[in-house]
Amino acid sequence: MFALRKLETGLAAAYEMERVRADHRMQSFVWRVHVTVPVYEVGFALRIELDEGRAVRIYAEGWAGHLKHTYGGNRLCMWYPQDPIDRRWEREEGLLKLADTAVAHLFKELYYRETGEWLGEEAPHAGPKVEARADNRAAA
C-alpha cells in the first residue's frame, strides 16, 4: 500500500500540484504537476500515474511534436526499463524527485529539438521499448 503523505512530501511546496485520482482499494493514483522548464521557460503539466504492480507512467501534457525518448505520444521514457535500481526512480524517493527528473528530461528534449544533440547518456535499444513491471514493494 502506498503511503501517500510520504510519497507527496515536498511536492506541493515545489510545484503546483493536484491529486486527480486516489483509489486506495485499487492502489491507483494520478497526479497533475505543473512545471516550468528552466532556460526555455516553457510550462507543462506532468500527469503522473502510479499503480500497484505497474511501472510509473509520466506524460507531458501539452507537448506538441516529436519526443526523442518516449513510449509513444507524450509518455516520457526517462530511464531504460532494465537499468539497475540506482539509475531508475523508486517509490521510496518520492514524487518530488520524480517531478524534478521529469523537468530535467524535458529540458533535454527541448535542447535536443533545438540543437539535435542529446545531453547525457542514452541506452541503446533497437526495438520498441517494453515497459518494465514494477515490483510490489510499497512506499515506506
Side-chain angles (χ1 to χ4, degrees), residues 23 26 29 52 57 75 91 96 98 107 110 113 126:
D23 185 335
M26 298 299 293
F29 305 94
E52 186 67 32
R57 294 174 181 222
R75 182 170 163 226
R91 287 176 174 90
L96 177 58
L98 182 63
F107 176 85
L110 289 166
R113 180 184 278 181

Side-chain angles (χ1 to χ4, degrees), residues 18-79:
E18 63 182 303
R19 194 183 300 155
V20 176
R21 183 179 74 229
D23 185 335
H24 294 274
R25 187 178 66 79
M26 298 299 293
Q27 289 294 287
S28 176
F29 305 94
V30 176
W31 295 266
R32 182 167 290 113
V33 180
H34 299 275
V35 301
T36 300
V37 179
V39 178
Y40 292 97
E41 298 307 316
V42 178
F44 297 98
L46 299 175
R47 181 180 173 91
I48 300 171
E49 298 179 358
L50 191 58
D51 296 304
E52 186 67 32
R54 187 172 80 174
V56 66
R57 294 174 181 222
I58 306 101
Y59 298 87
E61 295 180 341
W63 184 277
H66 174 74
L67 283 162
K68 180 170 176 61
H69 289 284
T70 180
Y71 283 100
N74 60 355
R75 182 170 163 226
L76 304 179
C77 178
M78 301 189 307
W79 52 82

Side-chain angles (χ1 to χ4, degrees), residues 2 27 49-57 71 75 79 81-83 85 88-92 130-139:
F2 298 130
Q27 289 294 287
E49 298 179 358
L50 191 58
D51 296 304
E52 186 67 32
R54 187 172 80 174
V56 66
R57 294 174 181 222
Y71 283 100
R75 182 170 163 226
W79 52 82
Q82 283 74 40
D83 272 347
I85 287 175
R88 294 180 281 143
W89 176 81
E90 293 290 312
R91 287 176 174 90
E92 295 80 19
V130 176
E131 179 178 0
R133 300 264 318 155
D135 61 25
N136 287 323
R137 289 179 300 158

Side-chain angles (χ1 to χ4, degrees), residues 40 68 108-119 122:
Y40 292 97
K68 180 170 176 61
K108 292 176 183 182
E109 292 283 359
L110 289 166
Y111 185 85
Y112 176 77
R113 180 184 278 181
E114 179 182 3
T115 67
E117 175 188 356
W118 183 261
L119 297 172
E122 294 181 274

